[in-house]
Amino acid sequence: MQKLITNFTKSRLFRTPNLNQTLLRNFSVQTGSQFPSAIVAVLKYSAEEGYSNEIVDIQEYLENKKVVFIGYPGAYTPSCTNAHLPQFIQDSDKIKAQGIDEIIAMSVNDPFVLQFFAEAIGAKDKLTLVADGNGDLTKALGLEIDLSEVLLGNCRSVRFTMIVKDNVIKEINNEGGGKFTETSCALRIQNQLKELKDL
């Protein structure tokens, strides 16, 4: 099954012809933009209680915080599961040592799927997962993409990373689709954190 999913994704996901046009039309936030308001479920882990989720306004949740914010196309998709998020889990202590309060990863999935996904990748207290089940936050950011050609629905998040302080976007790295490259890797975020003077 995993081989089938991987082959299907490689064959279609990154060769969808209208991806660039979709991104150019919808992209809105940039460095210096205010992080938008949207209702999402925040999934967190504690050693005592395991995983729990809470429905919040993400803008209120990010008040007075310095965070790395990650967007990815979906739970259990190959690059998200095997490469992108594992990098941030592995480097979470290094990233937080640079002044980051939380590493937050968002996808257009429901919180129940994300709980199983978090357990599968060993997120625990390394990552906070955000379930943007209705796609409201993804759309408010202007980072949605139509992946209905590959049966993933007409509203998914492109792959991106951000550094956000007090609801202001300090850095944004947009992959322009689902592909994972050094643009959104954990090392790039660490280098950007070193260069930011007002964090």
Side-chain angles (χ1 to χ4, degrees):
M1 183 64 174
Q2 180 63 43
K3 184 177 180 182
L4 175 65
I5 292 170
T6 302
N7 289 342
F8 179 70
T9 304
K10 283 182 178 176
S11 66
R12 300 291 303 275
L13 180 55
F14 306 131
R15 294 192 290 109
T16 306
N18 63 348
L19 292 190
N20 289 337
Q21 292 89 335
T22 301
L23 291 168
L24 288 172
R25 185 175 64 251
N26 291 335
F27 184 74
S28 60
V29 294
Q30 56 190 329
T31 301
S33 293
Q34 188 80 5
F35 201 91
S37 171
I39 303 301
V40 296
V42 173
L43 185 72
K44 301 188 83 166
Y45 175 86
S46 74
E48 298 78 24
E49 299 179 7
Y51 288 98
S52 60
N53 73 77
E54 179 184 6
I55 296 176
V56 301
D57 184 320
I58 191 65
Q59 197 175 68
E60 293 178 5
Y61 183 81
L62 295 181
E63 282 180 5
N64 303 312
K65 289 184 180 178
K66 302 170 189 175
V67 305
V68 168
F69 200 93
I70 306 161
Y72 61 102
Y76 296 107
T77 55
S79 294
C80 307
T81 305
N82 301 320
H84 194 200
L85 296 187
Q87 279 192 1
F88 284 90
I89 292 168
Q90 180 179 323
D91 290 353
S92 64
D93 292 340
K94 295 178 184 176
I95 292 169
K96 290 175 182 177
Q98 291 180 272
I100 292 299
D101 298 312
E102 216 169 330
I103 303 170
I104 300 172
M106 175 206 72
S107 65
V108 181
N109 288 111
D110 67 70
F112 307 105
V113 166
L114 285 190
Q115 178 171 335
F116 283 101
F117 180 55
E119 291 169 353
I121 62 174
K124 293 194 173 180
D125 58 348
K126 305 291 186 180
L127 291 183
T128 298
L129 275 71
V130 164
D132 184 25
N134 296 329
D136 293 340
L137 176 55
T138 301
K139 291 173 187 173
L141 289 165
L143 292 169
E144 75 270 27
I145 191 168
D146 184 345
L147 291 179
S148 53
E149 276 191 41
V150 291
L151 307 182
L152 293 179
N154 62 8
C155 178
R156 290 281 184 164
S157 172
V158 300
R159 194 179 306 281
F160 68 88
T161 56
M162 294 178 182
I163 299 170
V164 183
K165 178 186 178 185
D166 300 330
N167 277 308
V168 176
I169 297 169
K170 298 295 185 178
E171 294 283 356
I172 181 166
N173 308 301
N174 179 15
E175 288 281 11
K179 193 173 181 180
F180 174 48
T181 72
E182 63 183 13
T183 296
S184 62
C185 72
L187 182 58
R188 180 166 189 179
I189 281 288
Q190 291 174 71
N191 289 335
Q192 288 173 326
L193 286 168
K194 289 176 186 174
E195 294 168 6
L196 282 173
K197 304 301 182 187
D198 63 342
L199 203 66

